[in-house]
Amino acid sequence: MEGNVDQWRREGQSFLRRFLQLVDILDPTTLLASNKEIENAHTLLQSSQLKEVVKDEKIKEAVKLTLSSVHPDTGNVLPTVFRVSAFAPFASPLIIAILLPHKRMKPALLCQLLFQSYSAGYNLANGNKTTCKDEKMPLNKFLLLIGAVSYTTCLGVVPQFVVSRYSFNSPAMYTFFRKILPVPVLAIASAFNVAVVRGSEFEKGVEVTDKNGNVVGISQAAGTKAVKDTAVSRAVLIGTTAAAPTMIVSYLQRTNFIRRFPHALAPIGHVTTILILGLMVPISFSLFPQMGKINKSKLEPLIQANTTEDELYYNRGL
């Protein structure tokens, strides 16, 4: 078992512990670590006999760097832009861009394309790889990736298309398509992005292990649960990040300060989006354990016959 897999499972069975751990490893300074530093930290973690509470500062730093930068299934260092701590700094300008009130379709389409492309890459890099550890991407998976980006991009610009195509005499209709509808649309598109990009986990299944890390079998039921839980967490992340700033900005528009300084509204909205995203990343990533747990009765008969344990584990991914 990879050392960081064991660490995810040990620390991740309560929401509070998962949240605190993610706040720690989401430290953006880990993005500055070189591959050599990460590999050394991973080697140290692999060779260390970790206890329930890690007190050695050197080991703590190794755990932090490894969990934020190394894939738990393959042991390979993740690309910098797709590491756990990279989502907030790389996604925040893209989310701000897709939430802007674009006047034309082309800028809206481009912003959606960039955001959905980054999301697809992040989902692919951080998915479960227990049944596909080969670094080469097969053609069918590449086409699935392109399809996911294309479909979610088109879905994401639907509200903008309606606003650009039709003139609304009713302020309520304009507000609905400009401010309200984009929230569920973006949440659904983000969840769909996860489901399509990681579709092979539905088809091939993922490895499930016992409490000692021994592989019991490959389960499609566990793969389905892994993708479903991750899709829900991503929908919560993007949906909340889109909704909260919109509500805050709508309230601020009625204040005397904004009436006196109307040009301050846009910067305040952008800063609010960044803050909400920064808060929601550890919350949404913590909704479900990184090392998922599933009851044996929900797994395939062959796997049930291979173990006497009531619960088995699998890597949910991010």
Side-chain angles (χ1 to χ4, degrees), residues 84-109:
V84 178
S85 52
F87 190 88
F90 282 94
S92 55
L94 299 176
I95 292 177
I96 289 173
I98 63 177
L99 293 177
L100 290 174
H102 299 284
K103 294 182 179 180
R104 296 184 300 168
M105 278 296 298
K106 286 184 179 179
L109 194 63

Side-chain angles (χ1 to χ4, degrees), residues 10 12 32 48 61 76-77 88 95 130 148 173 193 221-222 266 273-274 288 297 309:
R10 182 185 297 117
L32 303 177
S48 302
E61 285 301 313
N76 296 330
V77 177
I95 292 177
T130 52
M173 289 295 293
N193 193 310
T273 300
I274 294 172
F288 305 96
S297 62
E309 296 189 11

Side-chain angles (χ1 to χ4, degrees), residues 88 91-100 237-238 240-246 248-249 266-281:
S92 55
L94 299 176
I95 292 177
I96 289 173
I98 63 177
L99 293 177
L100 290 174
L237 169 60
I238 303 303
T240 305
T241 303
T246 300
I248 292 172
V249 167
I268 291 174
H270 300 338
V271 171
T272 302
T273 300
I274 294 172
L275 293 176
I276 295 296
L277 178 65
L279 176 64
M280 285 305 302
V281 167

Side-chain angles (χ1 to χ4, degrees), residues 8 22 25-39 64-72 76-91 118-119 121-127 234 281 285 290 318:
W8 276 121
L22 276 162
I25 68 175
L26 285 170
D27 180 358
T29 60
T30 58
L31 298 174
L32 303 177
S34 65
N35 283 11
K36 185 64 176 178
E37 291 175 311
I38 296 169
E39 289 168 0
K64 176 180 175 179
L65 193 54
T66 301
L67 293 184
S68 67
S69 309
V70 176
H71 196 284
N76 296 330
V77 177
L78 291 165
T80 302
V81 296
F82 297 137
R83 292 175 189 171
V84 178
S85 52
F87 190 88
F90 282 94
Y118 177 75
S119 296
Y122 192 90
N123 296 333
L124 180 66
N126 290 280
R234 196 73 84 251
V281 167
F285 283 7
Q290 172 75 5
L318 285 177

Side-chain angles (χ1 to χ4, degrees), residues 126-313:
N126 290 280
N128 186 296
K129 296 186 182 299
T130 52
T131 57
C132 53
K133 295 182 180 182
D134 189 355
E135 294 185 2
K136 294 182 179 179
M137 184 187 300
L139 178 60
N140 63 334
K141 196 162 190 177
F142 177 76
L143 294 175
L144 200 63
L145 188 70
I146 297 299
V149 172
S150 301
Y151 185 85
T152 52
T153 297
C154 293
L155 179 60
V157 297
V158 166
Q160 176 65 40
F161 173 78
V162 175
V163 171
S164 301
R165 182 69 175 80
Y166 302 100
S167 298
F168 295 108
N169 295 323
S170 169
M173 289 295 293
Y174 181 83
T175 300
F176 174 77
F177 283 101
R178 177 64 82 184
K179 296 182 178 181
I180 298 176
L181 184 60
V183 173
V185 166
L186 288 174
I188 292 170
S190 297
F192 187 80
N193 193 310
V194 173
V196 175
V197 170
R198 294 177 55 180
S200 61
E201 295 172 38
F202 290 115
E203 181 182 352
K204 296 181 180 179
V206 299
E207 287 183 357
V208 289
T209 65
D210 59 22
K211 61 183 179 182
N212 297 316
N214 301 311
V215 178
V216 178
I218 295 176
S219 169
Q220 290 179 318
T224 299
K225 189 173 187 298
V227 176
K228 179 182 177 182
D229 290 349
T230 306
V232 169
S233 72
R234 196 73 84 251
V236 170
L237 169 60
I238 303 303
T240 305
T241 303
T246 300
M247 292 187 291
I248 292 172
V249 167
S250 296
Y251 168 76
L252 291 176
Q253 285 177 321
R254 299 191 294 270
T255 63
N256 291 329
F257 175 78
I258 295 300
R259 287 171 183 166
R260 290 177 60 190
F261 306 100
H263 295 297
L265 187 62
I268 291 174
H270 300 338
V271 171
T272 302
T273 300
I274 294 172
L275 293 176
I276 295 296
L277 178 65
L279 176 64
M280 285 305 302
V281 167
I283 290 177
S284 63
F285 283 7
S286 304
L287 289 178
F288 305 96
Q290 172 75 5
M291 287 305 298
K293 186 164 58 174
I294 187 169
N295 194 286
K296 182 178 73 172
S297 62
K298 297 181 180 179
L299 298 173
E300 292 79 355
L302 183 60
I303 295 177
Q304 294 184 38
N306 287 342
T307 182
T308 58
E309 296 189 11
D310 293 329
E311 294 180 323
L312 297 176
Y313 300 88

